[in-house]
Amino acid sequence: GGMGGNFGFDYSRPTTTNNAVGPSNNDDTTVSLEEFLEWAETTTPMMSALPTFIFVLFAFFSPALSGDGKEPRFPHGVTPLWIPSLTIDQPIHSKFTSPTSSFFPAPSSSSFDLFALCCTSLTLASGRWHRLFSSDANGLSCNRLMHSLLGYGGPTIILIRSKDLSGKGECGSGVFGVYTFSPWSQESSGFYGNSDSFLFRLGPDPMAVYRPNGGGDSGGMDAFGANNTTSNEESETRNYMYFNPEARSKGYDGLAHGIGFGGTSDSPRLFIDEVLDGCRAASEDLTYDKGPLLSGLKESNSSTMSHFEVEAIEAWGVGTQQVVNKSLLARDGEREDAQKRIRQAMKGAKGAFLEDMQSGLMGNKNFQHRDQMRGRNGGCDMDEVEE
């Protein structure tokens, strides 16, 4: 009791049978030990290491950083795993306060949803989540979300809460999202990234994690900085992440404009539309495992493309302190480069304008009507006005 958040997994004691691997009894709420271990291995691999899990049960619900800013020490042989510190950009001289999150109740160290997500990946349980975007703080805008992500050089997690529109047919609701290890390095009409990524449903239906189904590259999880990223693979089994703003092609490419994961470039499986009008989520594609992202869908609609309306969305940079700091610097560098390109373009346009003026081209075009008026019938002088 006392834990924040909504965690949808109920565990019952395993049944005892004479078989080495016996089925659970007829009670649908009972989970056998074998079923639990299989679920843990695929959905929450950080729980499958028993020493870590036991240690976490006693020590997890405490901040990752102590008052002196030092990371906690773990016993020998125990995989480092702790509740992350939630941080935001702060003015240099301001007093640090934990950021408000619409997904994790304060204090974040008591959020069972946060605990559940950290059990899915070592990167998510490596000490720090830094808020890149919050619809509560930055406004409900996909353009601002895309701006906050572009150039970020490390792993991220995006959480979405959709509005409850259960009375509108196939519209689903709930909390769901996506984790990606690869940097948001570019705008592109194609997919990029690697297999260290997954989609997830957090609630209110039971938690589910949909990992790449094995048809893509080997990728690799490395929470401590190594990045094995593939780019623009023309295969629907490797369509991990997609970042295509309308401004990139002026809208003429005929593709989906926004952020997507899985599926295809004209119909991603999970898609955040640039104007938030056409957000949708499907239950299957060729890249990630099959299963519904939205909660409350009827069984007959579970395999269809379902639309949703965004109520809240947050993006966090995740990993160790070093990884997050390095990734933020990469984003800062990308933004500085973008500003340089804009200044160079403006300088080039200004130079072309001045060159046209000096050559007389602009004057010939802009003041041609004055030349036509001068001397018409020998009687009109535009430059002299009689008093």
Side-chain angles (χ1 to χ4, degrees):
M3 300 297 183
N6 298 312
F7 189 62
F9 185 83
D10 296 322
Y11 176 69
S12 301
R13 296 182 62 184
T15 56
T16 303
T17 68
N18 294 327
N19 299 326
V21 181
S24 58
N25 61 21
N26 293 330
D27 186 355
D28 290 339
T29 64
T30 301
V31 177
S32 70
L33 178 60
E34 291 77 14
E35 290 171 330
F36 172 78
L37 292 177
E38 181 181 359
W39 172 86
E41 182 178 357
T42 57
T43 304
T44 56
M46 297 305 295
M47 289 176 59
S48 62
L50 188 59
T52 293
F53 184 53
I54 292 176
F55 184 80
V56 164
L57 286 177
F58 292 97
F60 189 92
F61 292 97
S62 61
L65 298 181
S66 58
D68 57 6
K70 295 182 179 180
E71 297 178 348
R73 294 184 177 181
F74 284 75
H76 179 73
V78 173
T79 302
L81 174 65
W82 54 74
I83 199 79
S85 293
L86 305 184
T87 63
I88 58 175
D89 292 324
Q90 291 278 351
I92 297 177
H93 300 293
S94 68
K95 184 178 180 181
F96 173 80
T97 56
S98 181
T100 300
S101 170
S102 62
F103 294 89
F104 309 120
S108 61
S109 58
S110 68
S111 171
F112 220 23
D113 283 342
L114 187 56
F115 171 77
L117 288 172
C118 287
C119 287
T120 63
S121 168
L122 176 61
T123 306
L124 295 174
S126 294
R128 184 181 178 190
W129 286 29
H130 185 81
R131 194 180 73 189
L132 305 175
F133 175 85
S134 166
S135 56
D136 286 351
N138 305 113
L140 193 58
S141 166
C142 184
N143 285 324
R144 294 177 186 174
L145 170 64
M146 297 175 80
H147 176 70
S148 73
L149 290 172
L150 185 60
Y152 185 78
T156 54
I157 186 170
I158 298 175
L159 297 106
I160 304 167
R161 178 184 294 110
S162 62
K163 296 179 181 178
D164 185 1
L165 301 173
S166 54
K168 294 187 177 181
E170 295 180 359
C171 288
S173 62
V175 177
F176 52 96
V178 60
Y179 160 79
T180 59
F181 181 81
S182 300
W184 294 94
S185 57
Q186 58 184 309
E187 300 175 352
S188 174
S189 62
F191 285 80
Y192 56 98
N194 65 28
S195 59
D196 190 359
S197 60
F198 58 82
L199 307 173
F200 61 87
R201 180 187 64 208
L202 197 55
D205 285 356
M207 180 180 177
V209 175
Y210 309 113
R211 299 184 186 274
N213 54 30
D217 64 285
S218 59
M221 178 190 302
D222 187 346
F224 302 99
N227 194 343
N228 304 314
T229 302
T230 60
S231 60
N232 272 339
E233 294 288 347
E234 295 298 330
S235 169
E236 291 185 23
T237 63
R238 299 182 179 184
N239 290 355
Y240 303 114
M241 52 196 290
Y242 174 82
F243 191 100
N244 185 24
E246 183 178 12
R248 186 194 64 81
S249 65
K250 304 298 186 292
Y252 294 127
D253 57 6
L255 303 175
H257 296 129
I259 303 174
F261 308 90
T264 61
S265 55
D266 58 346
S267 183
R269 175 174 174 178
L270 173 59
F271 180 58
I272 307 171
D273 184 70
E274 191 169 14
V275 294
L276 298 178
D277 270 347
C279 298
R280 54 188 183 268
S283 296
E284 58 182 301
D285 72 305
L286 297 180
T287 299
Y288 295 100
D289 289 336
K290 179 180 179 180
L293 290 166
L294 304 176
S295 298
L297 291 179
K298 296 180 180 179
E299 191 67 25
S300 59
N301 293 335
S302 61
S303 62
T304 63
M305 176 70 75
S306 298
H307 295 268
F308 63 89
E309 292 187 19
V310 177
E311 180 177 287
I313 186 168
E314 291 178 0
W316 298 79
V318 297
T320 63
Q321 291 285 338
Q322 295 83 357
V323 167
V324 172
N325 288 336
K326 184 178 179 180
S327 301
L328 289 170
L329 287 175
R331 188 183 68 174
D332 292 342
E334 171 62 29
R335 291 179 175 178
E336 289 178 3
D337 290 342
Q339 289 298 319
K340 288 180 181 178
R341 291 192 294 268
I342 292 174
R343 288 194 294 268
Q344 289 174 353
M346 294 178 64
K347 183 178 180 180
K350 181 179 179 181
F353 178 81
L354 292 175
E355 183 178 346
D356 287 342
M357 289 288 289
Q358 292 172 356
S359 66
L361 178 62
M362 293 294 293
N364 291 340
K365 290 182 178 179
N366 292 341
F367 306 111
Q368 186 176 11
H369 68 284
R370 295 185 60 180
D371 294 335
Q372 293 174 348
M373 291 294 294
R374 287 193 183 97
R376 178 175 293 178
N377 296 326
C380 182
D381 191 341
M382 298 292 294
D383 295 326
E384 295 182 4
V385 178
E386 294 182 2
E387 296 182 358

